[in-house]
Amino acid sequence: MRYLPHSDHERAEMLGVIGAADIDALFSAVPKKALKSFDLGLPAHSPEFLVEAHMRALAAKNHAGADGPFFVGAGAYRHHVPATVDHLIQRSEWLTAYTPYQPEISQGTLQMLFEFQTQVAKLTGMDVANASLYDGSTGTAEAVLMARRLTKRSKIVLSGGLHPHYRDVVRAYLKDDADLEILSASPEGQGDILDHIDETTAAIVIQTPDFYGHLRNLKTAADAAHAKGALLIVVITEVVSLGLLEAPGALGADIVVAEGQSIGNALNFGGPYLGLMATRKEFIRQMPGRLCGETVDADGQRGFVLTLSTREQHIRREKATSNICTNSGLCALAFSIHMGLLGEAGFTRLARLNHANACTLADALEGVPGVRVLNKTFFNEMTISTPLPGAALIERLAARGILGGVPVSRLIPDDPAVGNLIILAATELTSAADIAALCTALSEELQ
């Protein structure tokens, strides 16, 4: 049954006011070929309980991450999210809250954002962080634009180890700018971005651990960039790595961008995700997105407000730092709750467990005939080379109920050199039985 609140008389009255002869006139600008002219094959109606049964049957065809051995990573990771996180973010005062423009009635939301910013700044070793961006890829593009504003230069160099999706988003933001230099894929950690820095370079963009799992030398990169007046933008897709690796800020990074999905946000068909951005204090006025600050009210009591608002909707567009007019508030809350539950010691233990499981996985893979691990360094992710095309091998493993990683050719389809490569990740949820099942299946498939 359809719910149409307006009567025929009311609809006719509205059409008369706007000067339209009928409903179809409202869609006259839509090309005829774009209008639906075919039957979708859907039933006209069905009882609710039958629809539910049908949807359950469809869902049962899925193979979820928890249904068997799972080694998928490449920018999205399966970690344990405590039940407390989901319980708290679904409280109505959090779930339905939006833009805290009125601080007198939004202190809870504002304090949460302030605490979130503090956590991100401490994790990255930077002076200040914003209240989040949409995801890591758009955050990377915003960082590139920010670097151009700060240096008044235009050349941007993207490392060959940058995630292909992030690379493509930067390219889209810059509209294939001639001053955007994208280095070739570096699955074995090859290539030296430092050779591409000159006096016109605004920033170099380096991911660590990179797309293929390699750890990059940030200190050397920072020194080389700063010697030419350029900035170092560090990208992190696996934020749990910061529990073991030295903070990018301590190694000379100027802007740090990360995907925060691994903390508090489960895999969910590709989103929503959580972009983290942090920078140095002297760059704060060019940082996009929202920023929450601490202040005092008329009575001297501590309070929180949005501050330094240089976004498009607050000032003239041509003067704005970005058209980002929101933040991933609920995902940021989930991140902040999970970090609060872990604490510093718990976060470090989580990182150690991830790395230990990855070491076990790498050792086991080295024992599979025909498989070669390309990484000399890694956190919880690595790239392997196999005698068979990666995409075909992954499908064979999937038929056995094992999600064995991501074939590089899926994300870089136009490069035949990566056709036999697979990226695998191990997290705290990876068991010894999972690793044994994977290696057994690989051995049998490669025979």
Side-chain angles (χ1 to χ4, degrees), residues 130 133 142 146 149 277 286-290 321-322 324:
N130 69 13
L133 297 173
E142 289 288 348
M146 177 179 167
R149 292 192 300 269
M277 175 180 275
Q286 290 298 329
M287 184 171 62
R290 288 180 174 148
T321 57
S322 171
I324 296 278

Side-chain angles (χ1 to χ4, degrees), residues 179-251:
D179 288 323
L180 175 62
E181 186 173 350
I182 301 174
L183 303 189
S184 300
S186 54
E188 297 197 51
Q190 71 272 29
D192 193 350
I193 193 173
L194 308 187
D195 294 338
H196 297 262
I197 306 173
D198 58 31
E199 285 72 16
T200 67
T201 304
I204 59 174
V205 181
I206 296 178
Q207 178 178 329
T208 186
D210 70 12
F211 176 61
Y212 304 97
H214 305 285
L215 304 183
R216 296 290 185 163
N217 189 330
L218 298 183
K219 184 66 170 65
T220 301
D223 291 343
H226 296 159
K228 294 292 182 68
L231 302 181
L232 171 61
I233 298 172
V234 175
V235 176
I236 302 166
T237 59
E238 173 53 293
V239 71
V240 174
S241 66
L242 293 176
L244 275 186
L245 304 180
E246 190 166 3
L251 298 172

Side-chain angles (χ1 to χ4, degrees), residues 3 13 25 68 76 78 126 152 255 354 378-379 394 443 447:
Y3 175 65
E13 187 176 10
R78 179 172 172 256
M126 305 301 284
K152 303 297 190 292
I255 306 171
N354 274 252
F378 56 83
F379 169 64
I394 287 298
S443 298
Q447 285 180 356

Side-chain angles (χ1 to χ4, degrees), residues 1-15:
M1 185 180 95
R2 293 182 298 168
Y3 175 65
L4 302 176
H6 301 301
S7 66
D8 291 340
H9 172 74
E10 289 170 330
R11 288 195 291 272
E13 187 176 10
M14 288 188 287
L15 290 169

Side-chain angles (χ1 to χ4, degrees), residues 30-41:
V30 179
K32 296 294 184 185
K33 63 180 181 180
L35 296 174
K36 184 179 77 68
S37 58
F38 56 90
D39 184 4
L40 294 177

Side-chain angles (χ1 to χ4, degrees), residues 85-310:
V85 174
D86 195 49
H87 173 76
L88 290 176
I89 68 172
Q90 291 196 53
R91 289 180 60 93
S92 60
E93 59 266 42
W94 293 121
L95 192 61
T96 61
Y98 187 55
T99 304
Y101 286 140
Q102 296 174 273
E104 64 275 14
I105 60 172
S106 303
Q107 282 301 292
T109 298
L110 288 164
Q111 181 171 353
M112 180 277 293
L113 292 176
F114 184 83
E115 301 293 351
F116 167 80
Q117 292 171 182
T118 303
Q119 291 169 332
V120 174
K122 287 184 175 294
L123 280 175
T124 57
M126 305 301 284
D127 299 326
V128 61
N130 69 13
S132 76
L133 297 173
Y134 298 133
D135 54 32
S137 63
T138 54
T140 301
E142 289 288 348
V144 164
L145 297 176
M146 177 179 167
R148 283 185 165 182
R149 292 192 300 269
L150 286 166
T151 62
K152 303 297 190 292
R153 297 177 179 182
S154 57
K155 181 179 175 181
I156 301 293
V157 186
L158 304 184
S159 163
L162 182 65
H163 194 295
H165 287 170
Y166 288 45
R167 173 202 66 196
D168 291 345
V169 171
V170 172
R171 180 188 286 151
Y173 267 59
L174 270 57
K175 300 177 181 176
D176 282 324
D177 194 314
D179 288 323
L180 175 62
E181 186 173 350
I182 301 174
L183 303 189
S184 300
S186 54
E188 297 197 51
Q190 71 272 29
D192 193 350
I193 193 173
L194 308 187
D195 294 338
H196 297 262
I197 306 173
D198 58 31
E199 285 72 16
T200 67
T201 304
I204 59 174
V205 181
I206 296 178
Q207 178 178 329
T208 186
D210 70 12
F211 176 61
Y212 304 97
H214 305 285
L215 304 183
R216 296 290 185 163
N217 189 330
L218 298 183
K219 184 66 170 65
T220 301
D223 291 343
H226 296 159
K228 294 292 182 68
L231 302 181
L232 171 61
I233 298 172
V234 175
V235 176
I236 302 166
T237 59
E238 173 53 293
V239 71
V240 174
S241 66
L242 293 176
L244 275 186
L245 304 180
E246 190 166 3
L251 298 172
D254 298 293
I255 306 171
V256 179
V257 178
E259 173 54 62
Q261 172 268 320
S262 288
I263 301 297
N265 292 272
L267 295 172
N268 187 33
F269 297 97
Y273 282 175
L274 172 65
L276 313 180
M277 175 180 275
T279 190
R280 302 197 177 282
K281 186 176 182 179
E282 59 266 31
F283 301 153
I284 190 171
R285 288 193 174 274
Q286 290 298 329
M287 184 171 62
R290 288 180 174 148
L291 187 66
C292 183
E294 181 181 337
T295 185
V296 293
D297 63 15
D299 298 322
Q301 300 295 315
R302 185 176 74 150
F304 304 91
V305 295
L306 293 180
T307 187
L308 299 176
S309 298
T310 53

Side-chain angles (χ1 to χ4, degrees), residues 40-108:
L40 294 177
L42 297 175
H45 60 85
S46 185
E48 182 176 330
F49 63 89
L50 291 181
V51 173
E52 289 176 348
H54 177 67
M55 298 303 291
R56 283 196 299 270
L58 292 177
K61 296 180 180 181
N62 291 331
H63 183 93
D67 291 343
F70 185 90
F71 299 91
V72 178
Y77 305 92
R78 179 172 172 256
H79 291 283
H80 172 68
V81 179
T84 308
V85 174
D86 195 49
H87 173 76
L88 290 176
I89 68 172
Q90 291 196 53
R91 289 180 60 93
S92 60
E93 59 266 42
W94 293 121
L95 192 61
T96 61
Y98 187 55
T99 304
Y101 286 140
Q102 296 174 273
E104 64 275 14
I105 60 172
S106 303
Q107 282 301 292

